Amino acid sequence: MLRITRRAVIGGAMSLVAFAVAQGCLTVQAHAEGVHDVLNGLIASYSKSAQAGISNKSVGELFEKDGFRDYLDAYPVGGLAEGFVWKPGMGATFTGPYSKLEIKAPFTDYIPLPEGAVLDPKKTYKIGFVFHGFNHPWLISLADTAAWEAARHPNIQIEVIDAEFDDNKMGQVIDTWVAKQYDGIVLWPSREAPMGPPVDRAIDAGIPVVSVDRRTSSEKISSEVLGNFYANGLQEGLYLKEVMKEGNIVLNRKDLGSTADSIRTGAFLEAIGNVDGFNIQGNYHTNSQRTLAFQSTADALQAYSDIAVSFNTGGEEAMGALDAIREAKRLNSAPGGKKIVILANDDAKEVLKEITDGNIDMVSPYTPLIGDIGIRAVIKHIGAKEGLNEAPPKLIMTPNLPMITKTKMTIEGVETMTPDEWPYAYGPAVN
């Protein structure tokens, strides 16, 4: 049973393989099914190097000013829950309930539940899913997967609410569900700190709460479904170091205090921190909005004639940056007449097309197709509360995914994938 509240919106432990890679004792050719451990090993290696010191003055000053070390040290890096092993091609295909687009979701076999009634088949369980952004291609895809999973179980009733990028509104929604004695809550928090108190109130009322993608500040939360933010930023840095050793960089970042910004940007700076030829020339917060990334990039292009790199913490930011660079006719305006290198996260179909066309240089996939994991996790927490099953782990890491490049490359043991090889891109198709 699906109830939709829709409002308009404006505008673990390291594996032995990973440990060996981190210590430089083992060279691993990272085909996709082994990339999780290889990237974890590289994360450990670059983190250790950055803790010993960042030689690049420009990078080090920003890293220190924004306190990235504290965020990175707190972010978990480890194995997958319940021994899950992901391989390319896994997952279900369906039509998104909201986007109406065909979706290939990669992790539908992770924390699995069989189709049909769950827990006590004589009961109906009410679950609330609150997020931001029905008009955002990444976020509507997240909601698609949550609603799809709920619809597989006839005794699950889900209410989906868009909090419209308003932290106070999200807190009020959660409090309303607490008052109505919902059985479980799943949320996508925009920022960590504001969502800690309402999550704590729900937990104190005996309602399991699961966050997906971004974190809250609650230490009581039932489970966190966390993606590969660290691997995202790291791979942007690895790619950049592979293709150049010097240049001025403009950063388009997400909102300050968000998990996506602190971990992706911090990991990127760790990766390039000991290459002295790089210089942070512009630093902007564009809050996941294409229009703001367009404006910040346009401003940077007016201010600087020698931009070599556009770093973007999301696909929307990368598309906004590319639009600004195209409009200014500056795609090939890097020093020496070279192309501006554009780095992206989030594997939207339009981003992958720009990689195929040679305009965006790489994307580190960060799939929105994880809402289903959150729903399954909260169902299992409800079952544990009723004595029907074991509770899922508090930390549910999603697999590290390899970067996507126009042609196959091997970068520090990570074998990239091409757009044609990647079945999980989200959003509308583009010609």
Side-chain angles (χ1 to χ4, degrees), residues 340-380:
I340 294 176
V341 172
I342 302 176
L343 311 173
N345 288 289
D346 303 341
D347 46 322
K349 290 176 182 175
E350 62 176 342
V351 173
L352 266 59
K353 180 181 185 300
E354 298 296 348
I355 291 177
T356 299
D357 292 346
N359 297 318
I360 292 176
D361 295 270
M362 65 81 69
V363 64
S364 192
Y366 189 82
T367 180
L369 309 176
I370 59 174
D372 57 309
I373 305 174
I375 297 299
R376 292 193 295 273
V378 84
I379 289 171
K380 290 196 170 187

Side-chain angles (χ1 to χ4, degrees), residues 369-429:
L369 309 176
I370 59 174
D372 57 309
I373 305 174
I375 297 299
R376 292 193 295 273
V378 84
I379 289 171
K380 290 196 170 187
H381 275 294
I382 296 166
K385 181 181 172 183
E386 295 186 349
L388 300 173
N389 55 250
E390 295 293 323
K394 183 166 185 176
L395 176 61
I396 303 171
M397 300 294 298
T398 59
N400 296 327
L401 301 174
M403 68 185 98
I404 299 170
T405 54
K406 183 176 180 178
T407 59
K408 299 286 285 187
M409 302 174 69
T410 300
I411 301 174
E412 296 202 33
V414 178
E415 183 178 309
T416 73
M417 297 183 73
T418 65
D420 288 343
E421 293 175 323
W422 191 251
Y424 304 110
Y426 66 92

Side-chain angles (χ1 to χ4, degrees), residues 54 59 72 97 105 116 119 126 134 148 174 240 249 251 299 321 338 342 362 379 389 408 411:
I54 292 177
V59 172
L72 293 169
L119 308 180
K126 295 181 292 183
F134 264 122
W148 171 81
I174 292 171
L240 183 60
I249 305 171
L251 307 176
D299 291 346
K338 295 180 180 179
I342 302 176
M362 65 81 69
I379 289 171
N389 55 250
K408 299 286 285 187
I411 301 174

Side-chain angles (χ1 to χ4, degrees), residues 178-205:
V178 171
K180 292 182 176 180
Q181 298 182 319
Y182 270 43
D183 297 289
I185 295 170
V186 181
L187 76 155
W188 180 84
S190 178
R191 295 185 299 153
E192 296 184 19
M195 300 321 303
V199 168
D200 285 346
R201 290 193 291 271
I203 296 290
D204 290 343

Side-chain angles (χ1 to χ4, degrees), residues 82-163:
E82 300 180 355
F84 179 67
V85 176
W86 176 80
K87 296 182 180 180
M90 292 178 71
T93 301
F94 53 89
T95 299
Y98 303 119
S99 69
K100 307 304 180 185
L101 299 173
E102 182 176 286
I103 287 172
K104 171 74 170 177
F107 308 135
T108 54
D109 299 309
Y110 194 19
I111 316 291
L113 280 174
E115 189 167 0
V118 293
L119 308 180
D120 183 346
K122 298 178 181 178
K123 292 178 61 175
T124 296
Y125 297 92
K126 295 181 292 183
I127 295 173
F129 180 85
V130 61
F131 78 123
H132 304 280
F134 264 122
N135 70 335
H136 191 290
W138 197 96
L139 291 162
I140 194 172
S141 299
L142 178 75
D144 275 338
T145 51
W148 171 81
E149 180 63 43
R152 296 177 67 237
H153 312 294
N155 63 332
I156 294 293
Q157 176 183 311
I158 186 171
E159 181 176 15
V160 177
I161 293 183
D162 180 354

